[in-house]
């Protein structure tokens, strides 16, 4: 994802605390595994998870939020193992907790046979960029009246972020681990709708960006462990 397109959320009052949420796609999965069958990370995906920390300063993260699809938890485990070793030496901290939330994935993606068959056919024939753009083009509509709409997927992902923002605003993050960045590990079909409904108009109107549609213009579908950083700012009044 093009760095200049990363959205940032700010409030209006005087700033007292800067708070980071690191949003990433899971590591690479093994080839040939079907969705919904507890797909695991490939050996490369395990390595990718371990080196997410290379994108940030060398400290442990706080809590990690994952979907119920197993590869997101595997990515979190690999990431925390590396960051815990660094964080323990530098800050004397333990590992943050891993929380599973249904809001980072929707069963209708794969329970809808029409959606599943159509998506994988386009992905096989034209590539993942075309398949993900095909999904985004449904916008507020449910594909075939069955699968979750891109707008609903975006709202679900945003709710996870807002939930973390609420914890911050209510002063529930007071211990050392709570002060560290949070990480959300999820999927391209959830993250890309969120980005589309956040910065889609800006991207599509930018004549300097090459390609047709949001996915091509923003640099292509999200690669494994790629993502964005969301910046929240806590005020003295919460």
């Amino acid at each position: 994802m093009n760095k200049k397109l990363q959205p940032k959320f700010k409030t209006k009052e005087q700033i007292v605390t800067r708070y980071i949420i690191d949003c990433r796609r899971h590591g690479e999965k093994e080839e040939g595994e079907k969705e919904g069958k507890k797909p695991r990370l490939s050996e490369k995906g395990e390595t990718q998870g371990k080196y997410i920390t290379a994108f940030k300063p060398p400290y442990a993260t706080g809590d990690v939020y994952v979907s119920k699809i197993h590869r997101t938890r595997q990515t979190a485990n690999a990431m925390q193992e590396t960051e815990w070793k660094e964080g323990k030496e530098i800050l004397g901290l333990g590992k943050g907790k891993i929380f599973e939330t249904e809001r980072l994935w929707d069963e209708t993606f794969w329970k809808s046979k029409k959606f599943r068959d159509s998506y994988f056919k386009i992905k096989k024939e034209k590539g993942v960029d075309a398949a993900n753009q095909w999904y985004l083009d449904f916008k507020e509509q449910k594909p075939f009246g069955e699968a979750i709409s891109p707008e609903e997927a975006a709202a679900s992902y945003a709710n996870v972020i807002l939930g973390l923002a609420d914890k911050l605003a209510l002063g529930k993050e007071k211990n050392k681990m709570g002060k560290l960045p949070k990480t959300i590990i999820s999927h391209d079909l959830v993250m890309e709708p969120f980005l589309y409904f956040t910065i889609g108009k800006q991207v599509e109107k930018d004549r300097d960006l090459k390609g047709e549609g949001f996915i091509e213009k923003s640099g292509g579908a999200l690669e494994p462990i790629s993502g964005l950083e969301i910046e929240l700012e806590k005020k003295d009044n919460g």
Side-chain angles (χ1 to χ4, degrees):
M1 183 60 61
N2 191 318
K3 289 184 178 179
K4 77 174 185 177
L5 301 177
Q6 294 180 357
K8 293 186 178 180
F9 298 83
K10 297 184 177 181
T11 51
K12 299 178 181 179
E13 305 292 334
Q14 182 180 1
I15 300 170
V16 294
T17 304
R18 184 169 173 268
Y19 194 73
I20 300 297
I21 300 176
D22 188 33
C23 303
R24 297 200 177 269
R25 189 186 172 199
H26 57 78
E28 180 185 88
K29 71 170 185 175
E30 290 182 346
E31 293 184 7
E33 293 207 50
K34 295 181 179 179
E35 297 289 346
K37 301 296 182 181
K38 295 185 179 180
R40 301 183 63 82
L41 295 184
S42 64
E43 185 176 342
K44 180 179 178 180
E46 291 274 6
T47 301
Q48 289 172 333
K50 291 178 181 178
Y51 288 96
I52 286 179
T53 186
F55 293 86
K56 304 189 292 293
Y59 48 58
T61 59
D63 299 330
V64 183
Y65 293 78
V66 301
S67 78
K68 57 186 174 182
I69 304 297
H70 189 56
R71 60 181 176 269
T72 59
R73 183 176 288 274
Q74 281 187 288
T75 304
N77 286 334
M79 179 194 75
Q80 283 197 333
E81 187 62 32
T82 300
E83 294 193 336
W84 174 72
K85 292 176 182 177
E86 295 180 349
K88 183 177 181 181
E89 292 178 2
I90 296 172
L91 299 177
L93 296 173
K95 297 179 184 178
K97 295 180 180 179
I98 297 177
F99 295 96
E100 184 179 297
T101 171
E102 293 184 357
R103 291 184 173 183
L104 292 175
W105 185 252
D106 192 279
E107 289 291 340
T108 60
F109 277 129
W110 308 130
K111 283 189 175 180
S112 168
K113 188 176 186 303
K114 290 181 180 179
F115 175 82
R116 185 176 68 248
D117 291 349
S118 297
Y119 176 83
F120 281 114
K121 181 181 179 181
I122 296 171
K123 186 176 180 179
K124 182 178 180 180
E125 294 176 353
K126 299 181 180 180
V128 65
D129 287 5
N132 288 10
Q133 184 63 54
W134 168 81
Y135 174 57
L136 288 183
D137 287 342
F138 281 97
K139 298 181 180 179
E140 296 85 6
Q141 302 298 315
K142 292 179 178 291
F144 308 107
E146 297 175 350
I148 187 174
S149 72
E151 183 182 53
E152 290 171 324
S156 185
Y157 192 84
N159 280 333
V160 176
I161 295 169
L162 292 173
L164 296 180
D166 286 344
K167 284 186 178 181
L168 177 66
L170 293 172
K172 293 183 178 180
E173 302 291 353
K174 295 181 180 180
N175 56 38
K176 287 184 178 180
M177 293 306 297
K179 294 178 181 178
L180 295 173
K182 305 297 184 195
T183 301
I184 299 173
I185 298 177
S186 58
H187 311 267
D188 53 351
L189 285 184
V190 187
M191 295 176 68
E192 287 171 358
F194 170 75
L195 289 169
Y196 175 72
F197 281 95
T198 305
I199 58 173
K201 291 183 179 179
Q202 172 193 345
V203 171
E204 292 175 340
K205 290 180 180 179
D206 193 330
R207 296 182 179 179
D208 293 330
L209 298 174
K210 297 180 180 180
E212 296 183 7
F214 175 77
I215 297 295
E216 283 192 5
K217 282 201 162 192
S218 59
L222 289 169
E223 297 288 338
I225 74 166
S226 64
L228 64 146
E229 187 178 89
I230 292 180
E231 189 177 297
L232 302 174
E233 291 169 350
K234 181 183 177 183
K235 311 308 170 181
D236 53 5
N237 61 358

